[in-house]
């Protein structure tokens, strides 16, 4: 079972510094993500560590230049950017890329936002497919009642509809996000681990308080621990628990702890 560590787990520093910490901790599977500070040397750092043997995946609006480019796939897009992005992924031999479902203002009709998202994701899938990249879409979570926006794919019924509307796309199951679902139950949560292996791109793991996506560390009380034997074999896991600015030894210990936890798979 491949266990990737997300760069989002070590935010606030340069890409080179984060990759150096992970490398020194003996971690060779890393997912590029938001978190590191944007800087002009990010691309050089990614390429150099890739040449040393790091295996990369990429997630959503990951840092790869001196300017961070956030995006929301429930809105119209600058497709020239995504052409450059997917060209870059292909140039460094990344073959797995995942994105969020997008969000929309509470003053916007949900169906309208969903339609725009599906159109966008199908076009992004085409760009990825042309470059030998497999695209996945992540399960999202409900926003707090005070938020001005809502996330798409934040409930089981809409996710099931998306799977039906887009059978060519893979799903990224974020187990921490499922813990925030309003309609969560062990049956509902576990059904997404039961998707056919060929429909799953990866599984994101961390923990939270059931209310906010705080990316806390996994404990014996994390909801999915008793169900770990149900994890589909051969689907990569991505650890997203916050380890910001912790020393190499602590990063190594936490990564090894989670690797030992899943070794029975």
């Amino acid at each position: 079972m491949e266990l990737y560590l997300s760069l989002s787990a070590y935010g606030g520093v340069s890409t080179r510094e984060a990759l150096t910490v992970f490398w020194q901790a003996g971690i060779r599977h890393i997912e590029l993500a938001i978190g590191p500070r944007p800087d002009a040397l990010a691309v050089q750092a990614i390429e150099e560590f890739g040449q040393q043997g790091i295996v990369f995946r990429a997630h959503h609006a990951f840092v790869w230049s001196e300017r961070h480019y956030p995006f929301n796939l429930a809105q119209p897009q600058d497709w020239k950017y995504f052409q450059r992005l997917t060209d870059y992924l292909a140039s460094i031999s990344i073959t797995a890329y995942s994105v969020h479902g997008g969000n929309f203002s509470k003053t916007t009709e949900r169906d309208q936002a969903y339609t725009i998202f599906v159109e966008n994701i199908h076009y992004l899938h085409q760009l990825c497919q042309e470059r030998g990249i497999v695209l996945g879409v992540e399960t999202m979570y409900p926003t707090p009642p005070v938020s001005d926006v809502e996330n798409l794919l934040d409930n089981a019924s809409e996710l099931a509809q998306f799977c039906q509307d887009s059978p060519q796309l893979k799903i990224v199951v974020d187990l921490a996000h499922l813990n925030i679902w309003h309609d969560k139950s062990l049956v509902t949560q576990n059904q997404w681990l039961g998707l056919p292996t060929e429909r799953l791109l990866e599984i994101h793991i961390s923990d939270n308080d059931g209310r906010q996506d705080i990316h806390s560390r996994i404990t014996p009380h994390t909801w999915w621990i008793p169900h770990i034997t149900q994890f589909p074999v051969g689907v990569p896991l991505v650890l997203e628990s916050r380890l910001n600015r912790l020393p190499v030894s602590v990063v190594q210990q936490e990564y090894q702890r989670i690797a030992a936890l899943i070794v029975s798979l």
Side-chain angles (χ1 to χ4, degrees), residues 75-94:
Q75 297 176 350
Q77 299 300 310
D78 173 8
W79 289 112
K80 291 182 179 179
Y81 170 78
F82 285 96
Q83 290 168 0
R84 295 195 303 272
L85 175 68
T86 50
D87 281 343
Y88 172 67
L89 291 175
S91 74
I92 58 173
S93 302
I94 287 181

Side-chain angles (χ1 to χ4, degrees), residues 3 5 16-17 23 32 54 62 68 91 156 158 186 190 195 252-253:
L3 176 62
L5 183 56
R16 181 174 295 281
E17 184 175 343
W23 177 267
L32 303 176
I54 294 289
F62 65 93
H68 180 237
S91 74
E158 189 169 72
L186 286 180
N190 284 336
L195 281 175
Q252 183 180 51
Q253 289 168 8

Side-chain angles (χ1 to χ4, degrees), residues 179-195:
N179 193 45
I180 309 174
W181 279 10
H182 295 319
D183 59 348
K184 66 185 178 186
S185 69
L186 286 180
V187 173
T188 302
Q189 291 168 305
N190 284 336
Q191 79 179 52
W192 299 107
L193 289 175
L195 281 175

Side-chain angles (χ1 to χ4, degrees), residues 80-146:
K80 291 182 179 179
Y81 170 78
F82 285 96
Q83 290 168 0
R84 295 195 303 272
L85 175 68
T86 50
D87 281 343
Y88 172 67
L89 291 175
S91 74
I92 58 173
S93 302
I94 287 181
T95 58
Y97 178 51
S98 58
V99 293
H100 296 169
N103 59 60
F104 60 99
S105 168
K106 288 183 177 178
T107 62
T108 301
E109 291 292 332
R110 189 180 191 101
D111 287 349
Q112 178 185 351
Y114 178 82
T115 298
I116 293 172
F117 166 67
V118 170
E119 291 174 353
N120 283 339
I121 203 69
H122 287 179
Y123 185 68
L124 180 57
H125 173 256
Q126 179 182 333
L127 291 178
C128 287
Q129 192 173 42
E130 290 169 353
R131 292 158 176 80
I133 301 166
V134 180
L135 180 65
V137 179
E138 183 177 15
T139 58
M140 296 304 291
Y141 56 90
T143 56
V146 296

